[in-house]
């Protein structure tokens, strides 16, 4: 049975380009905008409170942070710190959630009024606060502080296309249209490394858990593993697939993921998309790599719709994909088999996808589902994709069924061929 159409979790007043979920709080952060063009479309970062209401996951707007003339195209999250890619720069923001001191406290906009939650617009400056009612009618406030802005791209068409925090939050990696990979110490934002990683745009960056290796995917048909500025290896996903020319596909995304049930093990996942669009589009491919040797373990086609973004669940169990035609899919990481698919969930390019974290607050939001994926698109919508829990039989029951099958087979043979035993 095909999955139901995904629920619309939130609609912004501008195109959405990125979404992140806080690992320890029921909070989603999404951003976008119309850029510097004087079209009347604003630019901002929106903070959404997530909670279960009546058995359904819902979102309410906590705060709108105005980014003036800069649309946020890429975003990374480390605790309560956001690294936002805006034009040719990376803007570092810190936010805090504050509870009011007294019950029934109301903000200036009357957010303390009792009743059902409502979405609220209105821009907030860097120190401004917006609120949403809590369970007892109290208003939670979000305060956003601008820490620093650094230029991260120097090409004529300057654009930061990728940003990633290390697992420990001590390192920030950026890449853009000029093909340079830049590494920054955090929080000082001191640049520690800068070198040309690709001839052309960097599409994506993946940081290893020990901060020693960085993987970059570029539009120059290369996906490279780096240690400092030294090339460790270049990935070759199709070397065991005859009939695919070297420059027929390019790498679109790369992500490290954990291995479920295997502590310390690591996998790298990459997405390969056709370089040229054809009347009969060839399939895109998913590849799973060993996280130490960087040898390909498995490659499978993932449909003919061009993949635009990739996300991996915390446990490394699921892969989420968005496409340029608006479709959304969830694959299981072990076999790369597709478990969930909604064609044209957005009807326009999906710009980012993110799984609900598997921390305690995240599990409370799942409401009995095995996984939940958020997708955002240029249509200004944030949609929710729920993966039902897969039913499995206990081992003892499987053994009992096998034993029963063997006994039944012997009895049938005895009836058909007397004297069989």
């Amino acid at each position: 049975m095909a999955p139901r159409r995904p629920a619309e979790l939130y609609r912004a007043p501008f195109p959405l380009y990125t979404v992140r979920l806080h690992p320890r709080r029921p909070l989603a952060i999404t951003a976008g905008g119309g850029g510097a063009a004087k079209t009347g479309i604003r630019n901002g970062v929106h903070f959404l409170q997530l909670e279960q209401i009546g058995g359904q996951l819902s979102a309410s707007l906590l705060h709108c942070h105005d980014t003036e003339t800069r649309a946020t195209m890429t975003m990374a999250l480390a605790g309560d710190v956001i690294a936002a890619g805006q034009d040719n720069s990376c803007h570092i923001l810190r936010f805090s959630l504050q509870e009011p001191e007294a019950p029934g406290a109301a903000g200036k906009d009357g957010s303390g009024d009792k009743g059902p939650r409502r979405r609220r617009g209105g821009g907030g400056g860097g120190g401004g606060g917006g609120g949403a009612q809590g369970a007892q009618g109290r208003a939670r406030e979000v305060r956003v502080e601008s820490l620093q802005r650094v230029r991260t791209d120097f090409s004529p068409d300057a654009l930061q296309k990728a940003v990633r925090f290390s697992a420990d939050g001590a390192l920030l990696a950026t890449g853009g249209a000029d093909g340079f990979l830049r590494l920054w110490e955090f929080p000082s934002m001191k640049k520690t490394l800068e070198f040309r990683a690709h001839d052309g745009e960097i599409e994506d960056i993946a940081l290893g858990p020990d901060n020693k290796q960085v993987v970059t995917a570029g539009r120059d048909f290369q996906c490279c593993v780096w240690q400092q500025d030294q090339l460790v290896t270049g990935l070759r996903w199709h070397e065991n697939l005859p009939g695919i020319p070297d420059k027929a596909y390019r790498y679109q995304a790369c992500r490290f993921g954990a291995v479920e049930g295997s502590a310390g093990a690591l996998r790298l996942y990459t997405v390969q998309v056709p370089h040229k669009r054809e009347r009969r589009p060839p399939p895109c491919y998913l590849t799973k790599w060993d996280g130490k040797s960087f040898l390909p373990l498995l490659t499978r086609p993932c449909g003919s719709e061009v993949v635009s973004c990739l996300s991996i669940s915390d446990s490394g169990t699921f892969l989420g994909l968005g496409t340029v035609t608006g479709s959304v899919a969830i694959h299981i990481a072990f076999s790369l088999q597709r478990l969930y698919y909604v064609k044209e969930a957005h009807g326009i390019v999906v710009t980012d996808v993110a799984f609900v974290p598997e921390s305690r607050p995240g599990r409370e939001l799942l409401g009995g589902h095995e996984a939940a994926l958020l997708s955002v698109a240029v249509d200004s919508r944030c949609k929710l994709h729920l993966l039902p829990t897969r039913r499995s039989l206990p081992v003892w029951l499987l053994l009992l069924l096998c034993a029963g099958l063997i006994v039944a087979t012997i009895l049938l043979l005895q009836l058909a061929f007397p004297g069989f035993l």
Side-chain angles (χ1 to χ4, degrees):
M1 184 175 69
R4 296 173 57 188
R5 298 298 298 179
E8 183 178 306
L9 198 63
Y10 178 68
R11 185 182 299 187
F14 46 70
L16 293 174
Y17 296 115
T18 180
V19 62
R20 292 291 179 267
L21 289 105
H22 198 284
R24 300 183 304 277
R25 295 174 175 169
L27 183 70
I29 305 170
T30 188
K38 296 180 179 180
T39 59
I41 300 176
R42 303 181 65 176
N43 303 285
V45 179
H46 283 194
F47 296 81
L48 309 176
Q49 176 75 39
L50 303 177
E51 62 182 338
Q52 281 281 341
I53 298 180
Q56 294 184 342
L57 184 63
S58 65
S60 54
L61 181 62
L62 284 177
H63 179 67
C64 310
H65 174 69
D66 186 13
T67 56
E68 300 173 349
T69 61
R70 304 177 304 276
T72 300
M73 307 296 291
T74 58
M75 187 165 58
L77 186 65
D80 295 341
V81 175
I82 299 171
Q86 299 171 352
D87 299 330
N88 61 6
S89 301
C90 187
H91 194 177
I92 308 299
L93 306 169
R94 177 184 287 127
F95 65 92
S96 61
L97 271 66
Q98 301 178 353
E99 298 285 354
E101 295 181 359
K108 294 180 180 179
D109 56 0
S111 60
D113 296 338
K114 292 184 179 181
R117 288 184 177 224
R118 58 191 177 90
R119 292 173 183 162
R120 300 194 356 264
Q133 296 175 41
Q136 299 177 353
R138 293 186 298 166
R140 302 182 70 189
E141 292 187 348
V142 178
R143 296 192 179 275
V144 183
E145 176 187 6
S146 177
L147 299 181
Q148 197 172 357
R149 183 184 291 123
V150 293
R151 184 163 182 175
T152 55
D153 192 270
F154 293 87
S155 66
D157 299 322
L159 178 64
Q160 178 183 297
K161 298 200 67 177
V163 60
R164 197 78 55 211
F165 273 110
S166 61
D168 59 6
L171 193 67
L172 183 69
T174 63
D178 61 4
F180 276 79
L181 177 67
R182 295 175 174 89
L183 299 181
W184 313 78
E185 288 183 355
F186 187 82
S188 67
M189 291 306 291
K190 176 184 177 183
K191 186 164 42 179
T192 62
L193 194 62
E194 177 182 28
F195 66 94
R196 181 180 290 275
H198 293 274
D199 294 328
E201 300 177 4
I202 293 179
E203 290 288 348
D204 205 2
I205 300 171
L207 282 169
D210 55 4
N211 296 348
K212 292 183 179 179
Q213 293 177 325
V214 182
V215 181
T216 57
R219 292 187 70 92
D220 58 356
F221 309 98
Q222 303 295 319
C223 190
C224 304
V225 182
W226 305 91
Q227 190 160 345
Q228 294 293 319
D229 57 352
Q230 300 300 311
L231 179 64
V232 176
T233 186
L235 303 185
R236 295 185 59 82
W237 70 276
H238 62 285
E239 61 181 6
N240 297 323
L241 299 175
I244 298 181
D246 280 344
K247 294 190 176 182
Y249 284 80
R250 62 176 178 83
Y251 292 90
Q252 175 65 24
C254 57
R255 288 287 191 282
F256 279 108
V259 180
E260 188 177 21
S262 183
L266 202 64
R267 295 287 183 264
L268 176 71
Y269 299 90
T270 60
V271 174
Q272 294 81 231
V273 301
H275 176 58
K276 295 182 179 179
R277 296 190 180 184
E278 300 178 5
R279 180 174 299 179
R280 299 183 62 182
C284 298
Y285 287 91
L286 271 171
T287 300
K288 178 171 65 173
W289 309 77
D290 184 274
K292 293 184 178 180
S293 65
F294 295 101
L295 294 175
L297 301 176
L298 180 64
T299 295
R300 290 194 64 164
C302 55
S304 59
E305 296 172 275
V306 178
V307 176
S308 56
C309 50
L310 165 70
S311 180
I312 299 179
S313 63
D314 290 350
S315 63
T317 306
F318 302 110
L319 311 179
L321 299 178
T323 72
V324 298
T325 49
S327 302
V328 175
I330 299 176
H331 293 244
I332 189 166
F334 174 75
S335 62
L336 303 183
Q337 178 184 357
R338 190 166 71 184
L339 300 177
Y340 171 100
Y341 172 75
V342 176
K343 184 177 177 61
E344 297 180 359
H346 287 272
I348 197 170
V349 57
V350 177
T351 48
D352 203 3
V353 290
F355 281 98
V356 171
E358 297 174 8
S359 57
R360 181 178 176 181
R363 290 194 300 270
E364 293 174 353
L365 294 174
L366 292 179
H369 293 86
E370 190 165 6
L373 182 75
L374 268 60
S375 63
V376 296
V378 182
D379 62 3
S380 307
R381 292 167 171 82
C382 177
K383 292 196 174 183
L384 172 66
H385 308 267
L386 296 171
L387 187 66
T389 301
R390 293 168 291 168
R391 295 191 178 100
S392 60
L393 296 175
V395 175
W396 65 267
L397 183 56
L398 289 175
L399 293 176
L400 185 61
L401 290 174
C402 291
L405 183 61
I406 293 173
V407 172
T409 302
I410 293 174
L411 292 176
L412 288 173
L413 289 173
Q414 177 64 21
L415 290 174
F417 307 99
F420 174 75
L421 294 178

